[in-house]
Every structure is written in C-alpha cells, then in structure tokens.
Amino acid sequence: MRRWHVWTLTVVLALGALLALSAPGGAAPQPQSATQLDRYGVWITASDPALGPQETARRVLEQLGLRWFATFDADPDQVPPGANKVLSVSTRQLLGEEALRSAAQKRPGSYWLIGREPNVPGNDPQAAAQYAEALRYYHRVIKEADPTAKLVGPNTLNWSETCRACPGFDQGRAWADAFRAAYQRLTGEEPPLDVWGIQVADLNWEQLPMVNWGRLADQLVELRGYLDEIPQFQDKPIWVTEFAIVWGYERIDWVQAEDGTWRAQPSGQYRADLIAEALQGFLGWLESNADRLRIDRWLLYGSYPPPDPFMAEYAGMRLLSTPAGEATPPGSVVREATTRSRTAGPGGRPVFAIAPPFRAYYVGHDGARVLGRPISPPTVFNGLTVQYFEKGRLEDHAGALQYGLLVDELQQARAEVPFGGDISPVTYAAVARLAEESQRLPPPAGYTEGVFPLRDGSVFIPFDPNLQAAPGHIVPARFWEFMNNSDYFPGGWLHDIGLPITNALTLDVIKHGQGPRTVQVQAFQRTVLTYDPQNPEGWQVERANVGTDYARAFPDRVPQQ
C-alpha cells in the first residue's frame, strides 16, 4: 500500500495503480468477438465476502450486461461460465514462472495486461527499463506456455497530458518512447505487444468534478497517429485498459490525520448526474470512433472501487451500489449502452460492417461523426446500392456517392416519429407542415440570387435547386459553418445536405435518457442539424440520427440480413 503526503501529490493522484491482489481460483475464454458489446468490459474491484469472487463477478456482469472483466490478478479459475477474464500481472513484482505457466495453460488464448500505469509515479529514470525487462520475461514465459496468448501494454496513464495542478507525472508518449528504446537495447526489436493499452482519466484538480472527457478523446486520436507511424504497430489495436473518473465532488478539502498523513476529504455535492453524463458522452464517442481508430475494447473502472489511499472516502465513479448490488446512475448508463450495443437501432437491429463501396468514403470523411454506425447491410433502393447508417443513407450512383433524401421522405410520408430527439414535441408529420410553401420566408431586401449573408452571420437560402430568387429559409451561423466543412461534406453543402426545408426551431427534447435539453433543430432535405449547448466543445453541432428515425418509420426498407 502506498504512503501519501501532501507534497507528493504526483503519487497521490494515481488512478488505483494498486499492488496485485490475489483471489482463490477455468475454461478457455470465448473467442474475440467483433460485436460492439464485446468491446465493453469492467474492472471488478471488490468481492462480496458472502458470495465469493466468482459469484460476485457473475452478478456484476449480469447487472451491467457485460461478458468481459478484469481484476488485479491472473487467477484463471474464478471466472463465471460464459465470461471472459482479462488476466493482469504486475511489472514491479513479477509473478513466478510456475504460476504464469499454469494460468496460461488453463486459459489459452487469454489477453494479459502487462502492468498498469508504469509512468506513475514520475521522475523514475529506471521505470521504462524495468518495464522492458518485465515485458521480456512475461513474453517468454506466457508465450511458451500458450502461443495464442495476447499481451496488452504498456497501459500508461494518459498520453499527451498527465495531470493538471500535480506536476511530476511522466507524459505517456515520452515514457513510451523511453520504453521502446529500452526494449530495443535489450533485444534489438520493437516490444512484442499484441495490443497497445492505455489508461485514461481527466486529471484536472483545478476543475472539479473531473468529468471533461473531451481531452481523453483527443489523446486517443494522437495515440493512433503515433502507432500508425511505426510499421510494427500500424495494424495493432488499441485497448482503453481503464477509464476512470477520479473525483466526482464539486470541491476537495485536505485534512491531516493524527499520524501526519494528509487525506483528500470530499466537499460539496457529489455530482452523479455529471459523472453519468460524461460517461455517456465518452462511451458514445468510443462507439462512434472505434472502427476508425482500431479501439477494440474499453474497461471501465470500476464496479465498486475502494478508496484510494489518499482519499478519506471514495470520491470517484462507482457502477454498483455495493460489490454485487444495484446499478448506480453511471452503472445505468453502462447497462443502457450494452443493451444498445446488442442492437444498432430499433427493433433489435444488429451491428453491421461498412460495405466495401462506402468504406473509403466513410473513413476519409469522418464517417463516425457524420454518419454514425451502419444499421443495415448493403441493400438496393430505387435501383441503387445503398447502406443505412444511424445518421443517413449512402447511395452508390455508378461510383459517385450521395446522401439519400431521408428527411424529404420522412416528412412527405408524415411519419409520426420524434424529430430532433428520442422524445420531442415535434414529429416529422409536423415538419411536413413546417415545410409547406406557405411557411417559407420572402427573400430579404437586396437579394438577387444565390446565398444571402445576414448581419448576424446567418444566411438566407432560397428553396430552389439552382439558388435562383424564391422564398426560402434562414440558416443560423453555427449551422452554416458546419455545413461548409469540406472534410465532412466534400461534395459541398447543397449536394451533401440539401436545401433547408424549415426554419430553425428551438425544442425541449429527451436524448439518450437525458433531459429535457433545449436544442436548436433545423430540417434539410438530406439531414437534420442540431445544436446542443450541453454537448462537449466541438460536438455541439451534429447531424441528427435520421437513419435511425427512417428505420423506425420504414422498417421494411432497412434490412437486417
């Protein structure tokens, strides 16, 4: 157990880099699955003494709807039937060869986490070399016992950022460079990792609670870029081997105990609502970007974590109310996400691969953001090869790709499907009335043709395919800026988004079980744009899930096999 002092805050803020725990102790794990559900996992951080570790694990997984989990050990035996355990070993206290070989042979094909947070605490010039030595040892012993085993490392804490208001942490990228150099000195080769693991957490003691997940997403993008520049790692997947929210209270007080040590005392309100919202946002981002960035799995910390040694009481994210209890608000987010991951749309729709005609376009134009996940296999619509996504339909016009006119089809059919949110006061039937010619605005004074900019940055666009003088609609500045992003819409806004068919509306909606949220919404021929000020910076303007709306309205047009 670590000893903590107020001046050694660098160590104080580590995210549970605990010594390996042991548990009494399997069948081989299930094969790696490509389903979205199997990307989810959880750290089971406490066992109910009345149940034992295996029954506790079973109940945790059942409660959260998961199949994958990790604990702080490599015990191959305490694994519920049908579950997959990620085995964990320390690089500071090496597990003996006999125990390693036994575990590897009992659970062939397992994934092994080689160490956790090797860059914490900082300022240890031997840490990278020590990790390199440990990795060489584990690789030799585990692979000899089980050639199908997969090694996951180095599991640094964050990448380009470390901790704000707590200097001394080794930056993840700099530490990785040192580790690779140390391993090359030992063997002449790059580290033999099958998966590149990283642990992520918002560590900013100047802004509480620690729920800013946007910086974590940026760092994962940077990590993918780093790996893609190394030939041996270009095809290696990334695992988020731990996502934690360390401090969920609004404030913190430092209190000195009788023995002279300092403890962090929670102060203010515990913001379970903000933790749940941050978790929901980060999981949504991971789901949308996993394919593009080759992020194959994320392990959430944790089921029922004990207080870190620097805490007077636990102050972070717990997914369950007791070691094997009910889901907390964040736990409910996980359960909803795993339920959603079993389907990719209404009516139990599975997750599909991106069809070859659309794959290059999807990857090259941030399809994860502008289209979301595919919700159908390729199919034929009006004689064209098409595929449906959460946010639209891609159509193959003899090699030229185009977005389908989904919003036009929905409003013309007067579909009784909520518009702009999962629950909304407006449906596409109401949009049809708002799209009538009588609802269009006359051109402003001085207008002749084209798009007419207004003083506040908004623009007037006529409802005419050639942008000739005609009544039309005003598009807010924030939407106009988004529409003109050529990275998202290489064909231009008129081709990829279409004409506005309503003016912008302000609605109170429910999204992902959260709300009410006041959003701005505007319908175009091929999409719906939304502005949600509660979304993270950079994600406030989005394309709505019109593909999912379309599947609800026309399930016969969105095949499932």
Side-chain angles (χ1 to χ4, degrees):
M1 190 64 70
R2 298 174 181 167
R3 298 290 187 263
W4 305 87
H5 302 278
V6 67
W7 0 97
T8 56
L9 196 54
T10 163
V11 182
V12 164
L13 303 177
L15 300 180
L18 306 176
L19 298 176
L21 306 177
S22 60
Q30 300 299 314
Q32 170 77 19
S33 173
T35 67
Q36 189 82 329
L37 175 63
D38 283 298
R39 285 175 162 157
Y40 278 84
V42 63
W43 280 93
I44 297 182
T45 47
S47 178
D48 187 324
L51 300 174
Q54 182 166 324
E55 178 60 15
T56 296
R58 188 194 69 78
R59 295 195 186 191
V60 170
L61 298 176
E62 181 180 49
Q63 184 66 261
L64 299 175
L66 297 170
R67 291 195 283 255
W68 287 80
F69 74 101
T71 59
F72 302 107
D73 59 62
D75 188 331
D77 295 325
Q78 300 295 333
V79 183
N84 297 317
K85 179 176 179 178
V86 182
L87 305 179
S88 178
V89 292
S90 170
T91 55
R92 296 184 173 111
Q93 294 180 335
L94 302 184
L95 191 61
E97 287 199 26
E98 184 177 349
L100 274 178
R101 293 181 187 278
S102 174
Q105 290 166 356
K106 282 187 175 181
R107 294 190 63 80
S110 287
Y111 287 80
W112 291 76
L113 294 186
I114 310 300
R116 301 175 63 244
E117 302 175 359
N119 57 325
V120 177
N123 298 325
D124 181 358
Q126 299 304 315
Q130 180 185 17
Y131 187 95
E133 290 275 11
L135 176 61
R136 183 172 65 166
Y137 166 76
Y138 284 126
H139 177 261
R140 175 181 63 81
V141 178
I142 294 172
K143 291 285 190 174
E144 285 177 357
D146 173 23
T148 66
K150 305 293 190 298
L151 305 188
V152 184
N155 309 310
T156 59
L157 176 57
N158 291 342
W159 186 245
S160 56
E161 294 191 21
T162 53
C163 181
R164 300 192 181 188
C166 44
F169 279 48
D170 291 333
Q171 183 199 56
R173 175 168 183 159
W175 189 94
D177 286 336
F179 151 61
R180 289 176 51 222
Y183 198 88
Q184 289 167 1
R185 286 193 297 270
L186 282 174
T187 68
E189 300 175 347
E190 286 282 356
L193 295 170
D194 298 291
V195 177
W196 192 281
I198 183 172
Q199 299 181 199
V200 297
D202 174 31
L203 287 177
N204 183 0
W205 293 88
E206 296 175 340
Q207 184 177 346
L208 301 177
M210 297 179 180
V211 293
N212 185 352
W213 61 267
R215 289 198 298 268
L216 310 182
D218 293 341
Q219 292 183 75
L220 291 174
V221 173
E222 294 169 12
L223 172 58
R224 181 75 269 167
Y226 175 88
L227 297 177
D228 285 347
E229 292 177 355
I230 304 169
Q232 292 85 342
F233 290 108
Q234 287 176 347
D235 296 326
K236 301 294 186 184
I238 294 170
W239 278 25
V240 177
T241 51
E242 181 181 303
F243 167 65
I245 293 179
V246 179
W247 200 262
Y249 285 87
E250 295 172 320
R251 294 186 298 278
I252 183 172
D253 293 329
W254 289 95
V255 179
Q256 190 172 23
E258 293 182 358
D259 62 2
T261 60
W262 292 82
R263 296 290 181 89
Q265 177 68 50
S267 179
Q269 184 179 356
Y270 180 75
R271 297 302 302 271
D273 57 331
L274 296 182
I275 292 175
E277 186 173 330
L279 180 60
Q280 185 174 58
F282 189 50
L283 294 180
W285 184 89
L286 284 170
E287 289 183 7
S288 297
N289 290 276
D291 289 331
R292 177 173 68 94
L293 300 176
R294 281 298 312 277
I295 302 174
D296 280 6
R297 182 157 292 121
W298 40 89
L299 304 175
L300 306 176
Y301 188 90
S303 59
Y304 189 77
D308 282 305
F310 76 95
M311 295 179 181
E313 60 183 81
Y314 186 70
M317 178 176 71
R318 276 181 175 149
L319 301 179
L320 299 181
S321 58
T322 66
E326 300 297 317
T328 62
S332 295
V333 169
V334 175
R335 187 167 57 196
E336 291 167 5
T338 56
T339 299
R340 184 175 70 249
S341 292
R342 297 173 190 272
T343 65
R349 301 179 184 277
V351 178
F352 296 93
I354 301 164
F358 308 116
R359 191 173 298 147
Y361 182 92
Y362 186 95
V363 173
H365 300 291
D366 205 351
R369 172 162 187 159
V370 299
L371 280 162
R373 292 179 295 170
I375 59 172
S376 82
T379 185
V380 175
F381 180 77
N382 287 344
L384 300 171
T385 298
V386 306
Q387 187 169 21
Y388 290 90
F389 297 79
E390 289 173 311
K391 298 178 183 293
R393 180 178 68 212
L394 275 184
E395 302 173 347
D396 184 359
H397 293 255
L401 301 188
Q402 184 170 302
Y403 290 93
L405 293 163
L406 296 194
V407 180
D408 266 352
E409 294 177 43
L410 283 163
Q411 60 95 2
Q412 289 168 9
R414 285 174 157 70
E416 290 292 346
V417 173
F419 170 76
D422 300 324
I423 300 176
S424 170
V426 174
T427 66
Y428 285 92
V431 171
R433 295 189 291 272
L434 296 172
E436 293 175 355
E437 185 175 357
S438 62
Q439 300 299 310
R440 298 171 192 160
L441 303 174
Y447 174 82
T448 55
E449 63 179 1
V451 173
F452 190 81
L454 303 175
R455 288 185 177 182
D456 62 356
S458 61
V459 296
F460 171 81
I461 300 178
F463 191 79
D464 181 89
N466 299 311
L467 301 182
Q468 297 298 308
H473 300 285
I474 292 174
V475 175
R478 56 175 64 99
F479 289 164
W480 183 238
E481 179 182 4
F482 182 78
M483 293 162 59
N484 284 279
N485 187 326
S486 60
D487 291 337
Y488 299 154
F489 309 114
W493 68 267
L494 186 57
H495 179 271
D496 292 349
I497 290 177
L499 296 168
I501 61 174
T502 69
N503 289 307
L505 309 174
T506 299
L507 304 174
D508 287 337
V509 302
I510 304 293
K511 300 192 309 179
H512 310 305
Q514 301 288 316
R517 297 164 78 107
T518 301
V519 299
Q520 190 175 43
V521 188
Q522 187 165 20
F524 296 77
Q525 292 173 303
R526 302 180 191 278
T527 192
V528 172
L529 295 185
T530 68
Y531 167 73
D532 185 345
Q534 296 186 53
N535 280 355
E537 185 177 354
W539 292 79
Q540 293 176 332
V541 175
E542 295 184 284
R543 284 164 48 100
N545 288 348
V546 297
T548 302
D549 295 343
Y550 191 88
R552 289 174 180 156
F554 307 113
D556 57 316
R557 301 183 191 178
V558 186
Q560 295 303 287
Q561 55 183 337

